[in-house]
Amino acid sequence: MDDFLAKPMDPESMFATILKRLPTRHAGGPAQPSPIKFSD
């Protein structure tokens, strides 16, 4: 990653940078992973 955030930090700039680097989700996919099921 080549981006940087200068001090004092601007929260909007920080979140924009993070969102730019996060992978995108495919439409229709689960919002969260399924819980792990343990067998007894």
Side-chain angles (χ1 to χ4, degrees):
M1 181 162 100
D2 294 328
D3 290 320
F4 68 93
L5 297 169
K7 294 180 187 176
M9 183 193 73
D10 174 29
E12 289 183 25
S13 175
M14 179 188 73
F15 287 119
T17 301
I18 292 171
L19 288 174
K20 185 169 58 170
R21 296 296 179 174
L22 287 176
T24 56
R25 287 191 293 167
H26 297 290
Q32 295 180 349
S34 300
I36 299 173
K37 296 179 182 177
F38 296 99
S39 60
D40 293 344

mmCIF file of all heavy atoms in Angstrom:
data_model
loop_
_atom_site.group_PDB
_atom_site.id
_atom_site.type_symbol
_atom_site.label_atom_id
_atom_site.label_comp_id
_atom_site.label_asym_id
_atom_site.label_seq_id
_atom_site.Cartn_x
_atom_site.Cartn_y
_atom_site.Cartn_z
ATOM 1 N N MET A 1 0.849 -1.167 0.000
ATOM 2 C CA MET A 1 0.000 0.000 0.000
ATOM 3 C C MET A 1 0.898 1.234 0.000
ATOM 4 O O MET A 1 1.824 1.335 0.783
ATOM 5 C CB MET A 1 -0.896 -0.055 1.234
ATOM 6 C CG MET A 1 -1.840 1.097 1.324
ATOM 7 S SD MET A 1 -3.199 0.773 2.454
ATOM 8 C CE MET A 1 -2.635 1.625 3.881
ATOM 9 N N ASP A 2 0.590 2.170 -0.863
ATOM 10 C CA ASP A 2 1.418 3.358 -0.993
ATOM 11 C C ASP A 2 0.763 4.611 -0.423
ATOM 12 O O ASP A 2 1.331 5.687 -0.527
ATOM 13 C CB ASP A 2 1.748 3.606 -2.460
ATOM 14 C CG ASP A 2 2.624 2.500 -3.009
ATOM 15 O OD1 ASP A 2 3.429 1.935 -2.255
ATOM 16 O OD2 ASP A 2 2.491 2.201 -4.204
ATOM 17 N N ASP A 3 -0.434 4.483 0.140
ATOM 18 C CA ASP A 3 -1.113 5.654 0.681
ATOM 19 C C ASP A 3 -0.568 6.000 2.063
ATOM 20 O O ASP A 3 0.002 5.161 2.744
ATOM 21 C CB ASP A 3 -2.613 5.389 0.797
ATOM 22 C CG ASP A 3 -3.279 5.301 -0.561
ATOM 23 O OD1 ASP A 3 -2.920 6.093 -1.443
ATOM 24 O OD2 ASP A 3 -4.149 4.436 -0.725
ATOM 25 N N PHE A 4 -0.759 7.244 2.459
ATOM 26 C CA PHE A 4 -0.365 7.655 3.799
ATOM 27 C C PHE A 4 -1.376 8.655 4.315
ATOM 28 O O PHE A 4 -2.110 9.261 3.556
ATOM 29 C CB PHE A 4 1.044 8.263 3.813
ATOM 30 C CG PHE A 4 1.121 9.578 3.089
ATOM 31 C CD1 PHE A 4 0.960 10.777 3.768
ATOM 32 C CD2 PHE A 4 1.358 9.618 1.737
ATOM 33 C CE1 PHE A 4 1.029 11.993 3.106
ATOM 34 C CE2 PHE A 4 1.416 10.836 1.065
ATOM 35 C CZ PHE A 4 1.254 12.013 1.751
ATOM 36 N N LEU A 5 -1.437 8.775 5.618
ATOM 37 C CA LEU A 5 -2.316 9.739 6.272
ATOM 38 C C LEU A 5 -1.448 10.674 7.094
ATOM 39 O O LEU A 5 -0.674 10.240 7.928
ATOM 40 C CB LEU A 5 -3.316 9.025 7.188
ATOM 41 C CG LEU A 5 -4.285 8.086 6.481
ATOM 42 C CD1 LEU A 5 -5.026 7.241 7.499
ATOM 43 C CD2 LEU A 5 -5.261 8.881 5.641
ATOM 44 N N ALA A 6 -1.598 11.953 6.847
ATOM 45 C CA ALA A 6 -0.798 12.942 7.571
ATOM 46 C C ALA A 6 -1.465 13.290 8.895
ATOM 47 O O ALA A 6 -2.661 13.117 9.072
ATOM 48 C CB ALA A 6 -0.643 14.193 6.719
ATOM 49 N N LYS A 7 -0.657 13.751 9.845
ATOM 50 C CA LYS A 7 -1.176 14.218 11.121
ATOM 51 C C LYS A 7 -1.337 15.720 11.047
ATOM 52 O O LYS A 7 -0.498 16.377 10.449
ATOM 53 C CB LYS A 7 -0.218 13.852 12.245
ATOM 54 C CG LYS A 7 -0.106 12.375 12.472
ATOM 55 C CD LYS A 7 0.871 12.129 13.599
ATOM 56 C CE LYS A 7 1.147 10.649 13.768
ATOM 57 N NZ LYS A 7 2.156 10.408 14.786
ATOM 58 N N PRO A 8 -2.329 16.313 11.613
ATOM 59 C CA PRO A 8 -3.460 15.695 12.290
ATOM 60 C C PRO A 8 -4.343 14.963 11.288
ATOM 61 O O PRO A 8 -4.534 15.403 10.163
ATOM 62 C CB PRO A 8 -4.198 16.861 12.942
ATOM 63 C CG PRO A 8 -3.845 18.046 12.121
ATOM 64 C CD PRO A 8 -2.446 17.779 11.593
ATOM 65 N N MET A 9 -4.877 13.853 11.735
ATOM 66 C CA MET A 9 -5.636 12.976 10.870
ATOM 67 C C MET A 9 -7.048 13.499 10.641
ATOM 68 O O MET A 9 -7.705 13.973 11.555
ATOM 69 C CB MET A 9 -5.705 11.587 11.515
ATOM 70 C CG MET A 9 -6.413 10.574 10.675
ATOM 71 S SD MET A 9 -6.802 9.105 11.597
ATOM 72 C CE MET A 9 -8.132 9.700 12.614
ATOM 73 N N ASP A 10 -7.513 13.391 9.414
ATOM 74 C CA ASP A 10 -8.879 13.732 9.047
ATOM 75 C C ASP A 10 -9.653 12.421 8.925
ATOM 76 O O ASP A 10 -9.329 11.593 8.066
ATOM 77 C CB ASP A 10 -8.877 14.484 7.712
ATOM 78 C CG ASP A 10 -10.265 14.756 7.194
ATOM 79 O OD1 ASP A 10 -11.196 14.894 8.001
ATOM 80 O OD2 ASP A 10 -10.412 14.840 5.955
ATOM 81 N N PRO A 11 -10.663 12.180 9.787
ATOM 82 C CA PRO A 11 -11.373 10.900 9.754
ATOM 83 C C PRO A 11 -11.970 10.560 8.388
ATOM 84 O O PRO A 11 -11.935 9.411 7.969
ATOM 85 C CB PRO A 11 -12.475 11.074 10.805
ATOM 86 C CG PRO A 11 -11.969 12.116 11.724
ATOM 87 C CD PRO A 11 -11.142 13.035 10.870
ATOM 88 N N GLU A 12 -12.506 11.529 7.680
ATOM 89 C CA GLU A 12 -13.078 11.253 6.363
ATOM 90 C C GLU A 12 -12.010 10.755 5.396
ATOM 91 O O GLU A 12 -12.230 9.828 4.628
ATOM 92 C CB GLU A 12 -13.765 12.499 5.814
ATOM 93 C CG GLU A 12 -15.044 12.839 6.542
ATOM 94 C CD GLU A 12 -15.744 14.029 5.920
ATOM 95 O OE1 GLU A 12 -15.543 14.288 4.729
ATOM 96 O OE2 GLU A 12 -16.501 14.690 6.656
ATOM 97 N N SER A 13 -10.837 11.347 5.442
ATOM 98 C CA SER A 13 -9.734 10.921 4.593
ATOM 99 C C SER A 13 -9.269 9.517 4.970
ATOM 100 O O SER A 13 -8.976 8.693 4.108
ATOM 101 C CB SER A 13 -8.583 11.918 4.705
ATOM 102 O OG SER A 13 -7.471 11.472 3.983
ATOM 103 N N MET A 14 -9.223 9.233 6.280
ATOM 104 C CA MET A 14 -8.797 7.923 6.735
ATOM 105 C C MET A 14 -9.755 6.840 6.235
ATOM 106 O O MET A 14 -9.330 5.839 5.671
ATOM 107 C CB MET A 14 -8.732 7.880 8.258
ATOM 108 C CG MET A 14 -8.307 6.520 8.788
ATOM 109 S SD MET A 14 -8.445 6.346 10.574
ATOM 110 C CE MET A 14 -10.213 6.222 10.764
ATOM 111 N N PHE A 15 -11.060 7.049 6.416
ATOM 112 C CA PHE A 15 -12.028 6.047 5.990
ATOM 113 C C PHE A 15 -12.060 5.904 4.472
ATOM 114 O O PHE A 15 -12.233 4.812 3.947
ATOM 115 C CB PHE A 15 -13.411 6.351 6.545
ATOM 116 C CG PHE A 15 -13.512 6.076 8.020
ATOM 117 C CD1 PHE A 15 -13.806 7.089 8.910
ATOM 118 C CD2 PHE A 15 -13.289 4.802 8.526
ATOM 119 C CE1 PHE A 15 -13.887 6.849 10.270
ATOM 120 C CE2 PHE A 15 -13.367 4.544 9.888
ATOM 121 C CZ PHE A 15 -13.669 5.573 10.757
ATOM 122 N N ALA A 16 -11.878 6.991 3.752
ATOM 123 C CA ALA A 16 -11.837 6.906 2.289
ATOM 124 C C ALA A 16 -10.647 6.067 1.837
ATOM 125 O O ALA A 16 -10.754 5.258 0.915
ATOM 126 C CB ALA A 16 -11.765 8.304 1.680
ATOM 127 N N THR A 17 -9.506 6.230 2.488
ATOM 128 C CA THR A 17 -8.315 5.454 2.151
ATOM 129 C C THR A 17 -8.517 3.982 2.477
ATOM 130 O O THR A 17 -8.170 3.108 1.680
ATOM 131 C CB THR A 17 -7.084 5.995 2.907
ATOM 132 O OG1 THR A 17 -6.898 7.369 2.557
ATOM 133 C CG2 THR A 17 -5.837 5.204 2.572
ATOM 134 N N ILE A 18 -9.104 3.695 3.632
ATOM 135 C CA ILE A 18 -9.347 2.304 4.017
ATOM 136 C C ILE A 18 -10.319 1.649 3.048
ATOM 137 O O ILE A 18 -10.090 0.526 2.577
ATOM 138 C CB ILE A 18 -9.873 2.232 5.466
ATOM 139 C CG1 ILE A 18 -8.763 2.640 6.436
ATOM 140 C CG2 ILE A 18 -10.397 0.829 5.785
ATOM 141 C CD1 ILE A 18 -9.234 2.822 7.860
ATOM 142 N N LEU A 19 -11.415 2.325 2.728
ATOM 143 C CA LEU A 19 -12.413 1.751 1.816
ATOM 144 C C LEU A 19 -11.849 1.516 0.423
ATOM 145 O O LEU A 19 -12.235 0.575 -0.262
ATOM 146 C CB LEU A 19 -13.636 2.666 1.739
ATOM 147 C CG LEU A 19 -14.507 2.688 2.984
ATOM 148 C CD1 LEU A 19 -15.609 3.741 2.834
ATOM 149 C CD2 LEU A 19 -15.110 1.323 3.244
ATOM 150 N N LYS A 20 -10.919 2.364 0.017
ATOM 151 C CA LYS A 20 -10.303 2.202 -1.299
ATOM 152 C C LYS A 20 -9.483 0.914 -1.361
ATOM 153 O O LYS A 20 -9.376 0.285 -2.401
ATOM 154 C CB LYS A 20 -9.415 3.423 -1.592
ATOM 155 C CG LYS A 20 -8.810 3.432 -2.963
ATOM 156 C CD LYS A 20 -8.170 4.764 -3.294
ATOM 157 C CE LYS A 20 -7.089 5.154 -2.320
ATOM 158 N NZ LYS A 20 -6.316 6.327 -2.761
ATOM 159 N N ARG A 21 -8.914 0.507 -0.233
ATOM 160 C CA ARG A 21 -8.035 -0.661 -0.190
ATOM 161 C C ARG A 21 -8.736 -1.963 0.160
ATOM 162 O O ARG A 21 -8.187 -3.037 -0.054
ATOM 163 C CB ARG A 21 -6.898 -0.425 0.808
ATOM 164 C CG ARG A 21 -5.990 0.703 0.403
ATOM 165 C CD ARG A 21 -5.291 0.359 -0.862
ATOM 166 N NE ARG A 21 -4.414 1.433 -1.291
ATOM 167 C CZ ARG A 21 -3.600 1.331 -2.309
ATOM 168 N NH1 ARG A 21 -3.550 0.224 -3.001
ATOM 169 N NH2 ARG A 21 -2.848 2.342 -2.644
ATOM 170 N N LEU A 22 -9.945 -1.890 0.739
ATOM 171 C CA LEU A 22 -10.657 -3.113 1.114
ATOM 172 C C LEU A 22 -11.192 -3.818 -0.128
ATOM 173 O O LEU A 22 -11.591 -3.161 -1.090
ATOM 174 C CB LEU A 22 -11.832 -2.776 2.037
ATOM 175 C CG LEU A 22 -11.483 -2.375 3.458
ATOM 176 C CD1 LEU A 22 -12.750 -1.973 4.199
ATOM 177 C CD2 LEU A 22 -10.777 -3.491 4.186
ATOM 178 N N PRO A 23 -11.221 -5.154 -0.110
ATOM 179 C CA PRO A 23 -11.803 -5.873 -1.246
ATOM 180 C C PRO A 23 -13.309 -5.635 -1.295
ATOM 181 O O PRO A 23 -13.949 -5.427 -0.259
ATOM 182 C CB PRO A 23 -11.482 -7.336 -0.947
ATOM 183 C CG PRO A 23 -11.245 -7.398 0.509
ATOM 184 C CD PRO A 23 -10.731 -6.046 0.921
ATOM 185 N N THR A 24 -13.863 -5.649 -2.483
ATOM 186 C CA THR A 24 -15.301 -5.445 -2.632
ATOM 187 C C THR A 24 -16.033 -6.763 -2.451
ATOM 188 O O THR A 24 -15.504 -7.829 -2.764
ATOM 189 C CB THR A 24 -15.632 -4.868 -4.015
ATOM 190 O OG1 THR A 24 -15.113 -5.740 -5.015
ATOM 191 C CG2 THR A 24 -15.027 -3.493 -4.192
ATOM 192 N N ARG A 25 -17.262 -6.667 -1.931
ATOM 193 C CA ARG A 25 -18.093 -7.865 -1.787
ATOM 194 C C ARG A 25 -18.942 -8.013 -3.036
ATOM 195 O O ARG A 25 -19.327 -7.039 -3.664
ATOM 196 C CB ARG A 25 -19.017 -7.740 -0.582
ATOM 197 C CG ARG A 25 -18.305 -7.882 0.722
ATOM 198 C CD ARG A 25 -19.295 -8.012 1.832
ATOM 199 N NE ARG A 25 -20.030 -6.750 1.961
ATOM 200 C CZ ARG A 25 -21.125 -6.607 2.664
ATOM 201 N NH1 ARG A 25 -21.634 -7.602 3.310
ATOM 202 N NH2 ARG A 25 -21.731 -5.443 2.746
ATOM 203 N N HIS A 26 -19.257 -9.249 -3.364
ATOM 204 C CA HIS A 26 -20.143 -9.511 -4.483
ATOM 205 C C HIS A 26 -21.583 -9.356 -4.023
ATOM 206 O O HIS A 26 -21.927 -9.746 -2.913
ATOM 207 C CB HIS A 26 -19.921 -10.924 -5.028
ATOM 208 C CG HIS A 26 -18.539 -11.120 -5.567
ATOM 209 N ND1 HIS A 26 -18.103 -10.517 -6.715
ATOM 210 C CD2 HIS A 26 -17.492 -11.824 -5.101
ATOM 211 C CE1 HIS A 26 -16.860 -10.861 -6.943
ATOM 212 N NE2 HIS A 26 -16.455 -11.655 -5.966
ATOM 213 N N ALA A 27 -22.429 -8.802 -4.869
ATOM 214 C CA ALA A 27 -23.835 -8.625 -4.521
ATOM 215 C C ALA A 27 -24.485 -9.980 -4.294
ATOM 216 O O ALA A 27 -24.204 -10.946 -4.998
ATOM 217 C CB ALA A 27 -24.550 -7.873 -5.643
ATOM 218 N N GLY A 28 -25.339 -10.053 -3.300
ATOM 219 C CA GLY A 28 -26.046 -11.283 -3.013
ATOM 220 C C GLY A 28 -25.320 -12.202 -2.056
ATOM 221 O O GLY A 28 -25.864 -13.197 -1.624
ATOM 222 N N GLY A 29 -24.087 -11.884 -1.717
ATOM 223 C CA GLY A 29 -23.322 -12.713 -0.795
ATOM 224 C C GLY A 29 -23.703 -12.404 0.640
ATOM 225 O O GLY A 29 -24.341 -11.395 0.924
ATOM 226 N N PRO A 30 -23.337 -13.268 1.555
ATOM 227 C CA PRO A 30 -23.669 -13.016 2.964
ATOM 228 C C PRO A 30 -22.911 -11.810 3.501
ATOM 229 O O PRO A 30 -21.778 -11.562 3.126
ATOM 230 C CB PRO A 30 -23.232 -14.299 3.669
ATOM 231 C CG PRO A 30 -22.222 -14.909 2.762
ATOM 232 C CD PRO A 30 -22.591 -14.490 1.369
ATOM 233 N N ALA A 31 -23.565 -11.058 4.363
ATOM 234 C CA ALA A 31 -22.930 -9.878 4.944
ATOM 235 C C ALA A 31 -21.870 -10.283 5.955
ATOM 236 O O ALA A 31 -20.876 -9.601 6.132
ATOM 237 C CB ALA A 31 -23.975 -8.997 5.611
ATOM 238 N N GLN A 32 -22.091 -11.415 6.637
ATOM 239 C CA GLN A 32 -21.136 -11.907 7.614
ATOM 240 C C GLN A 32 -20.937 -13.395 7.384
ATOM 241 O O GLN A 32 -21.824 -14.069 6.862
ATOM 242 C CB GLN A 32 -21.663 -11.687 9.032
ATOM 243 C CG GLN A 32 -21.805 -10.239 9.395
ATOM 244 C CD GLN A 32 -22.335 -10.079 10.815
ATOM 245 O OE1 GLN A 32 -22.771 -11.031 11.437
ATOM 246 N NE2 GLN A 32 -22.304 -8.868 11.315
ATOM 247 N N PRO A 33 -19.784 -13.931 7.766
ATOM 248 C CA PRO A 33 -19.583 -15.374 7.605
ATOM 249 C C PRO A 33 -20.548 -16.156 8.485
ATOM 250 O O PRO A 33 -21.004 -15.678 9.517
ATOM 251 C CB PRO A 33 -18.131 -15.600 8.042
ATOM 252 C CG PRO A 33 -17.741 -14.376 8.773
ATOM 253 C CD PRO A 33 -18.643 -13.264 8.341
ATOM 254 N N SER A 34 -20.856 -17.341 8.050
ATOM 255 C CA SER A 34 -21.736 -18.207 8.830
ATOM 256 C C SER A 34 -21.041 -18.607 10.120
ATOM 257 O O SER A 34 -19.826 -18.793 10.145
ATOM 258 C CB SER A 34 -22.078 -19.461 8.035
ATOM 259 O OG SER A 34 -22.725 -19.120 6.857
ATOM 260 N N PRO A 35 -21.810 -18.772 11.200
ATOM 261 C CA PRO A 35 -21.181 -19.183 12.462
ATOM 262 C C PRO A 35 -20.620 -20.599 12.357
ATOM 263 O O PRO A 35 -21.134 -21.425 11.606
ATOM 264 C CB PRO A 35 -22.324 -19.108 13.465
ATOM 265 C CG PRO A 35 -23.568 -19.066 12.677
ATOM 266 C CD PRO A 35 -23.233 -18.544 11.328
ATOM 267 N N ILE A 36 -19.571 -20.858 13.111
ATOM 268 C CA ILE A 36 -18.960 -22.181 13.123
ATOM 269 C C ILE A 36 -19.823 -23.101 13.970
ATOM 270 O O ILE A 36 -20.234 -22.749 15.071
ATOM 271 C CB ILE A 36 -17.532 -22.109 13.697
ATOM 272 C CG1 ILE A 36 -16.669 -21.215 12.830
ATOM 273 C CG2 ILE A 36 -16.934 -23.504 13.823
ATOM 274 C CD1 ILE A 36 -15.306 -20.954 13.406
ATOM 275 N N LYS A 37 -20.109 -24.290 13.443
ATOM 276 C CA LYS A 37 -20.924 -25.253 14.168
ATOM 277 C C LYS A 37 -20.024 -26.351 14.692
ATOM 278 O O LYS A 37 -19.303 -26.986 13.937
ATOM 279 C CB LYS A 37 -22.001 -25.836 13.252
ATOM 280 C CG LYS A 37 -22.981 -24.799 12.781
ATOM 281 C CD LYS A 37 -24.011 -25.380 11.861
ATOM 282 C CE LYS A 37 -24.941 -24.285 11.368
ATOM 283 N NZ LYS A 37 -25.926 -24.781 10.422
ATOM 284 N N PHE A 38 -20.049 -26.540 15.987
ATOM 285 C CA PHE A 38 -19.257 -27.580 16.633
ATOM 286 C C PHE A 38 -20.158 -28.756 16.950
ATOM 287 O O PHE A 38 -21.285 -28.578 17.419
ATOM 288 C CB PHE A 38 -18.617 -27.070 17.926
ATOM 289 C CG PHE A 38 -17.615 -25.967 17.690
ATOM 290 C CD1 PHE A 38 -17.969 -24.636 17.877
ATOM 291 C CD2 PHE A 38 -16.332 -26.278 17.285
ATOM 292 C CE1 PHE A 38 -17.033 -23.633 17.670
ATOM 293 C CE2 PHE A 38 -15.408 -25.275 17.079
ATOM 294 C CZ PHE A 38 -15.754 -23.948 17.264
ATOM 295 N N SER A 39 -19.668 -29.965 16.706
ATOM 296 C CA SER A 39 -20.454 -31.135 17.071
ATOM 297 C C SER A 39 -20.076 -31.589 18.466
ATOM 298 O O SER A 39 -18.937 -31.467 18.896
ATOM 299 C CB SER A 39 -20.223 -32.265 16.065
ATOM 300 O OG SER A 39 -18.858 -32.615 16.050
ATOM 301 N N ASP A 40 -21.057 -32.099 19.200
ATOM 302 C CA ASP A 40 -20.808 -32.540 20.578
ATOM 303 C C ASP A 40 -20.272 -33.931 20.623
ATOM 304 O O ASP A 40 -20.387 -34.791 19.921
ATOM 305 C CB ASP A 40 -22.084 -32.464 21.413
ATOM 306 C CG ASP A 40 -22.491 -31.002 21.590
ATOM 307 O OD1 ASP A 40 -21.671 -30.111 21.349
ATOM 308 O OD2 ASP A 40 -23.652 -30.777 21.961
#
